[in-house]
Coordinates of all heavy atoms in Angstrom, one line a residue:
P929 N 2.1 -1.5 8.6 CA 3.0 -0.3 8.8 C 2.4 0.9 8.0 O 1.6 0.7 7.1 CB 4.3 -0.8 8.2 CG 4.0 -1.8 7.2 CD 2.8 -2.5 7.8
T930 N 2.9 2.1 8.4 CA 2.5 3.3 7.6 C 2.9 3.1 6.2 O 4.1 2.8 5.9 CB 3.1 4.5 8.2 OG1 2.7 4.6 9.6 CG2 2.7 5.8 7.5
A931 N 2.0 3.4 5.3 CA 2.3 3.2 3.8 C 3.4 4.1 3.4 O 3.5 5.2 3.7 CB 1.0 3.4 3.0
Y932 N 4.2 3.5 2.5 CA 5.3 4.2 1.7 C 6.5 4.7 2.5 O 7.3 5.4 2.0 CB 4.7 5.4 1.0 CG 3.5 5.0 0.1 CD1 2.2 5.6 0.3 CD2 3.6 4.1 -0.9 CE1 1.1 5.3 -0.5 CE2 2.5 3.7 -1.7 CZ 1.3 4.3 -1.5 OH 0.2 4.0 -2.2
L933 N 6.5 4.4 3.8 CA 7.7 4.8 4.6 C 8.9 3.9 4.2 O 8.8 2.7 4.2 CB 7.5 4.7 6.1 CG 6.8 5.8 6.8 CD1 6.7 5.6 8.3 CD2 7.5 7.1 6.5
L934 N 10.0 4.5 3.9 CA 11.2 3.8 3.5 C 11.8 3.1 4.8 O 12.3 2.0 4.6 CB 12.3 4.8 3.0 CG 13.5 4.1 2.3 CD1 13.1 3.2 1.2 CD2 14.5 5.2 1.9
D935 N 11.6 3.7 5.9 CA 12.0 3.0 7.2 C 10.9 2.2 7.7 O 9.9 2.7 8.3 CB 12.4 4.1 8.2 CG 12.9 3.5 9.5 OD1 13.0 2.3 9.6 OD2 13.3 4.3 10.4
H936 N 11.0 0.9 7.5 CA 9.9 0.0 7.9 C 9.8 -0.2 9.4 O 8.8 -0.8 9.9 CB 10.0 -1.3 7.2 CG 10.0 -1.3 5.7 ND1 8.8 -0.9 5.0 CD2 10.9 -1.5 4.8 CE1 9.1 -0.9 3.7 NE2 10.3 -1.3 3.5
D937 N 10.8 0.3 10.1 CA 10.8 0.1 11.6 C 10.3 1.4 12.3 O 10.3 1.4 13.5 CB 12.2 -0.2 12.1 CG 12.2 -0.9 13.4 OD1 11.3 -1.7 13.8 OD2 13.1 -0.5 14.2
A938 N 9.9 2.4 11.5 CA 9.6 3.7 12.2 C 8.3 3.5 13.1 O 8.3 4.1 14.1 CB 9.3 4.7 11.1
D939 N 7.3 2.8 12.6 CA 6.1 2.7 13.4 C 6.4 2.0 14.8 O 5.9 2.5 15.8 CB 5.1 1.8 12.7 CG 4.5 2.6 11.5 OD1 4.2 3.8 11.7 OD2 4.3 2.0 10.5
R940 N 7.2 1.0 14.8 CA 7.6 0.3 16.0 C 8.3 1.2 17.0 O 8.0 1.3 18.2 CB 8.4 -0.9 15.8 CG 8.8 -1.7 17.0 CD 9.9 -2.7 16.8 NE 11.1 -2.0 16.5 CZ 11.9 -1.5 17.4 NH1 11.6 -1.5 18.7 NH2 13.0 -0.9 17.1
R941 N 9.2 2.0 16.5 CA 10.0 2.9 17.3 C 9.1 4.1 17.9 O 9.2 4.4 19.1 CB 11.2 3.5 16.6 CG 12.2 2.5 16.1 CD 13.6 3.1 15.9 NE 13.5 4.3 15.0 CZ 13.6 4.2 13.7 NH1 13.8 3.0 13.1 NH2 13.6 5.3 12.9
R942 N 8.2 4.6 17.1 CA 7.3 5.6 17.6 C 6.4 5.1 18.6 O 6.2 5.7 19.7 CB 6.5 6.2 16.4 CG 7.3 7.1 15.5 CD 6.4 7.9 14.5 NE 5.8 7.0 13.6 CZ 5.1 7.4 12.5 NH1 4.9 8.7 12.3 NH2 4.6 6.5 11.7
F943 N 5.9 3.9 18.4 CA 5.0 3.3 19.4 C 5.7 3.0 20.7 O 5.2 3.3 21.8 CB 4.4 2.0 18.8 CG 3.8 1.1 19.9 CD1 2.5 1.4 20.4 CD2 4.4 0.0 20.4 CE1 1.9 0.6 21.4 CE2 3.9 -0.8 21.4 CZ 2.6 -0.5 21.9
E944 N 6.9 2.4 20.6 CA 7.7 2.1 21.8 C 8.1 3.3 22.6 O 8.1 3.3 23.8 CB 8.9 1.3 21.4 CG 8.7 -0.2 21.0 CD 8.0 -1.0 22.1 OE1 8.2 -0.7 23.3 OE2 7.4 -2.0 21.7
A945 N 8.4 4.4 21.9 CA 8.7 5.7 22.5 C 7.6 6.2 23.4 O 7.7 6.6 24.5 CB 9.1 6.7 21.5
L946 N 6.4 6.2 22.8 CA 5.2 6.6 23.5 C 4.8 5.7 24.6 O 4.5 6.1 25.8 CB 4.0 6.8 22.6 CG 4.1 8.1 21.7 CD1 2.9 8.1 20.7 CD2 4.1 9.3 22.5
R947 N 4.9 4.4 24.4 CA 4.5 3.4 25.4 C 5.4 3.5 26.6 O 5.0 3.5 27.7 CB 4.6 2.0 24.8 CG 4.1 0.9 25.8 CD 4.4 -0.5 25.2 NE 5.8 -0.7 25.1 CZ 6.6 -1.1 26.1 NH1 6.1 -1.2 27.3 NH2 7.9 -1.3 25.9
T948 N 6.7 3.7 26.3 CA 7.7 3.8 27.4 C 7.4 5.1 28.2 O 7.5 5.1 29.5 CB 9.1 3.8 26.9 OG1 9.3 2.6 26.2 CG2 10.1 3.9 28.0
Q949 N 7.2 6.2 27.5 CA 7.0 7.5 28.2 C 5.8 7.5 29.1 O 5.8 8.0 30.2 CB 7.0 8.6 27.2 CG 6.7 10.0 27.8 CD 6.3 11.0 26.8 OE1 5.9 10.7 25.7 NE2 6.4 12.3 27.2
L950 N 4.7 6.9 28.5 CA 3.4 7.0 29.2 C 3.2 5.8 30.2 O 2.3 5.9 31.1 CB 2.3 6.9 28.2 CG 2.2 8.1 27.2 CD1 1.1 7.9 26.2 CD2 2.0 9.4 27.9
G951 N 4.1 4.8 30.1 CA 3.8 3.6 30.9 C 2.6 2.9 30.6 O 1.9 2.3 31.4
A952 N 2.2 2.9 29.3 CA 1.0 2.2 28.8 C 1.0 0.7 29.0 O 2.1 0.1 28.8 CB 0.7 2.6 27.4
T953 N -0.1 0.1 29.3 CA -0.2 -1.3 29.4 C -1.2 -1.9 28.4 O -2.2 -1.2 28.1 CB -0.7 -1.7 30.9 OG1 -1.9 -1.1 31.1 CG2 0.4 -1.3 31.9
R954 N -1.0 -3.1 28.0 CA -1.9 -3.7 27.0 C -3.1 -4.1 27.6 O -3.1 -4.8 28.6 CB -1.1 -4.8 26.3 CG -1.9 -5.4 25.1 CD -1.0 -6.4 24.3 NE -0.8 -7.6 25.1 CZ 0.0 -8.6 24.7 NH1 0.5 -8.5 23.5 NH2 0.2 -9.6 25.5
V955 N -4.3 -3.8 27.0 CA -5.6 -4.1 27.5 C -6.4 -5.0 26.6 O -7.4 -5.5 26.9 CB -6.4 -2.8 27.9 CG1 -5.7 -2.1 29.0 CG2 -6.5 -1.9 26.7
W956 N -5.9 -5.1 25.3 CA -6.7 -5.9 24.3 C -5.9 -6.3 23.2 O -5.0 -5.6 22.8 CB -7.9 -5.0 23.8 CG -8.8 -5.7 22.8 CD1 -9.8 -6.6 23.1 CD2 -8.7 -5.6 21.4 NE1 -10.4 -7.0 22.0 CE2 -9.8 -6.4 20.9 CE3 -7.9 -4.9 20.5 CZ2 -10.0 -6.6 19.5 CZ3 -8.2 -5.0 19.1 CH2 -9.2 -5.9 18.7
V957 N -6.1 -7.5 22.7 CA -5.4 -8.1 21.6 C -6.5 -8.7 20.7 O -7.4 -9.4 21.2 CB -4.4 -9.2 21.9 CG1 -3.7 -9.7 20.7 CG2 -3.4 -8.6 22.9
S958 N -6.4 -8.5 19.4 CA -7.4 -9.1 18.4 C -7.2 -10.6 18.4 O -6.2 -11.2 18.8 CB -7.3 -8.4 17.1 OG -6.0 -8.7 16.5
R959 N -8.2 -11.2 17.7 CA -8.2 -12.7 17.7 C -7.0 -13.3 17.1 O -6.5 -14.3 17.7 CB -9.5 -13.1 16.9 CG -9.6 -14.7 16.8 CD -10.9 -15.0 16.1 NE -11.1 -16.5 16.1 CZ -12.1 -17.1 15.5 NH1 -13.1 -16.4 14.9 NH2 -12.2 -18.4 15.5
Y960 N -6.5 -12.7 16.0 CA -5.3 -13.3 15.4 C -4.0 -12.5 15.7 O -3.0 -12.7 15.0 CB -5.5 -13.4 13.9 CG -6.7 -14.3 13.5 CD1 -7.9 -13.7 13.0 CD2 -6.6 -15.6 13.6 CE1 -9.0 -14.5 12.7 CE2 -7.7 -16.4 13.3 CZ -8.9 -15.9 12.8 OH -10.0 -16.6 12.5
G961 N -4.1 -11.6 16.6 CA -2.9 -10.8 17.0 C -2.5 -9.7 16.1 O -1.3 -9.3 16.2
N962 N -3.3 -9.3 15.2 CA -3.0 -8.3 14.2 C -3.1 -6.9 14.8 O -2.6 -5.9 14.2 CB -3.8 -8.4 12.9 CG -3.4 -9.6 12.1 OD1 -2.2 -10.0 12.0 ND2 -4.4 -10.3 11.6
Y963 N -3.9 -6.7 15.9 CA -4.1 -5.4 16.5 C -4.0 -5.5 18.0 O -4.4 -6.5 18.6 CB -5.5 -4.9 16.1 CG -5.7 -4.8 14.6 CD1 -6.5 -5.8 14.0 CD2 -5.2 -3.7 13.9 CE1 -6.7 -5.7 12.6 CE2 -5.4 -3.7 12.5 CZ -6.1 -4.6 11.9 OH -6.4 -4.6 10.5
E964 N -3.4 -4.5 18.6 CA -3.3 -4.4 20.1 C -3.7 -3.0 20.5 O -3.5 -2.0 19.8 CB -1.9 -4.7 20.5 CG -1.4 -6.1 20.1 CD 0.1 -6.3 20.5 OE1 0.7 -5.3 21.0 OE2 0.6 -7.4 20.2
I965 N -4.2 -2.9 21.7 CA -4.6 -1.6 22.3 C -3.9 -1.5 23.7 O -4.0 -2.4 24.5 CB -6.1 -1.5 22.5 CG1 -6.8 -1.6 21.1 CG2 -6.5 -0.2 23.1 CD1 -8.3 -1.6 21.2
Y966 N -3.3 -0.4 23.9 CA -2.6 -0.1 25.1 C -3.3 1.1 25.8 O -3.7 2.1 25.1 CB -1.1 0.2 24.9 CG -0.3 -1.0 24.5 CD1 -0.5 -1.6 23.2 CD2 0.6 -1.6 25.4 CE1 0.3 -2.7 22.8 CE2 1.3 -2.8 25.0 CZ 1.1 -3.3 23.7 OH 1.8 -4.4 23.4
R967 N -3.3 1.2 27.1 CA -4.0 2.2 27.8 C -3.1 2.9 28.8 O -2.3 2.3 29.5 CB -5.2 1.6 28.6 CG -6.0 2.6 29.4 CD -7.2 1.9 30.0 NE -8.0 2.7 30.8 CZ -7.9 2.9 32.1 NH1 -6.8 2.4 32.7 NH2 -8.7 3.7 32.8
A968 N -3.2 4.3 28.9 CA -2.4 5.0 29.9 C -3.3 6.2 30.3 O -4.0 6.8 29.5 CB -1.1 5.5 29.3
K969 N -3.1 6.6 31.6 CA -3.7 7.8 32.2 C -2.7 8.9 32.2 O -1.6 8.7 32.6 CB -4.2 7.5 33.6 CG -5.5 6.7 33.7 CD -6.7 7.5 33.3 CE -8.0 6.7 33.6 NZ -9.2 7.5 33.2

Side-chain angles (χ1 to χ4, degrees):
T930 301
Y932 306 123
L933 276 184
L934 190 60
D935 182 1
H936 299 295
D937 199 40
D939 287 319
R940 183 195 65 81
R941 296 204 308 271
R942 287 190 293 188
F943 166 78
E944 289 296 337
L946 286 176
R947 184 188 65 80
T948 301
Q949 179 194 18
L950 300 174
T953 57
R954 189 170 65 182
V955 295
W956 181 81
V957 181
S958 64
R959 180 176 181 181
Y960 300 107
N962 291 317
Y963 304 101
E964 300 175 357
I965 300 177
Y966 291 72
R967 178 178 180 272
K969 285 287 188 179

